[in-house]
Amino acid sequence: ASDEDAVRFEGPLEQRYVARTGQVIACPEGIVVGGGITAQGYTVVLVSGEMSGRIVFESYATLVLDGSLSGSVEADNFANGLVTGDITGRWIGHQHGTLYIQGILIGELELEAESKVFIAGRTERADLERIHASAPVEVLLRDSDLEPGTHTIGNLTVTVPP
């Protein structure tokens, strides 16, 4: 655990790390299974490579992942996320959030509050079943088998540009 303003891990993060105050946390070589972060204050997490561990955001947070998410992220408060690769793991949002996925969604999104999701990778209508929304969620798709326009699918309002 640490109260420093900024922390950088050398090598892949293999253990659990607790940030008790707001911090900028850099993991330039990813987070492996068994490793992870619990952020108790406003936190910005920067990860390069694979994120196969577990991140828990207990306060406002931003995640920038230059890679793929095969682990899990759980956000208890407002969270923003950018994933440049695919999501094969899970993103759980208990409060409002915005998630940008530059790859494809193979994993699960569980969204319990109004949220926005942008998916750049090819997304079929069947893939949208991986988004479990108990509140209204706006979804913007760059490439889909859905017709251009706006579609209502359960709690999802899905927009496909022309």
Side-chain angles (χ1 to χ4, degrees):
S2 173
D3 296 325
E4 297 176 38
D5 290 339
V7 177
R8 182 178 194 274
F9 290 95
E10 298 298 326
L13 180 58
E14 298 174 339
Q15 75 274 3
R16 296 288 308 158
Y17 173 77
V18 177
R20 294 188 297 247
T21 60
Q23 292 182 331
V24 174
I25 301 170
C27 300
E29 295 182 50
I31 301 175
V32 300
V33 173
I37 296 167
T38 298
Q40 297 172 342
Y42 178 79
T43 304
V44 175
V45 177
L46 309 170
V47 180
S48 293
E50 185 70 21
M51 205 307 281
S52 54
R54 182 168 188 252
I55 297 175
V56 177
F57 293 123
E58 296 178 356
S59 185
Y60 295 112
T62 300
L63 170 66
V64 177
L65 171 55
D66 187 10
S68 294
L69 172 66
S70 61
S72 68
V73 174
E74 184 168 0
D76 294 336
N77 214 316
F78 183 85
N80 291 308
L82 166 63
V83 178
T84 65
D86 301 333
I87 291 185
T88 59
R90 292 176 68 190
W91 180 284
I92 302 165
H94 298 290
Q95 295 294 326
H96 301 281
T98 304
L99 181 59
Y100 299 90
I101 306 166
Q102 291 186 329
I104 59 174
L105 176 63
I106 301 169
E108 304 283 326
L109 304 182
E110 296 178 28
L111 305 171
E112 299 175 2
E114 289 186 31
S115 300
K116 295 181 181 183
V117 178
F118 170 76
I119 305 173
R122 175 78 177 173
T123 306
E124 306 286 330
R125 180 187 173 99
D127 297 330
L128 296 172
E129 294 176 14
R130 296 185 178 105
I131 303 175
H132 310 285
S134 54
V137 173
E138 293 179 44
V139 180
L140 177 61
L141 303 177
R142 183 182 291 163
D143 182 18
S144 178
D145 62 339
L146 291 168
E147 293 293 319
T150 301
H151 311 269
T152 301
I153 303 170
N155 278 331
L156 306 180
T157 301
V158 180
T159 302
V160 180

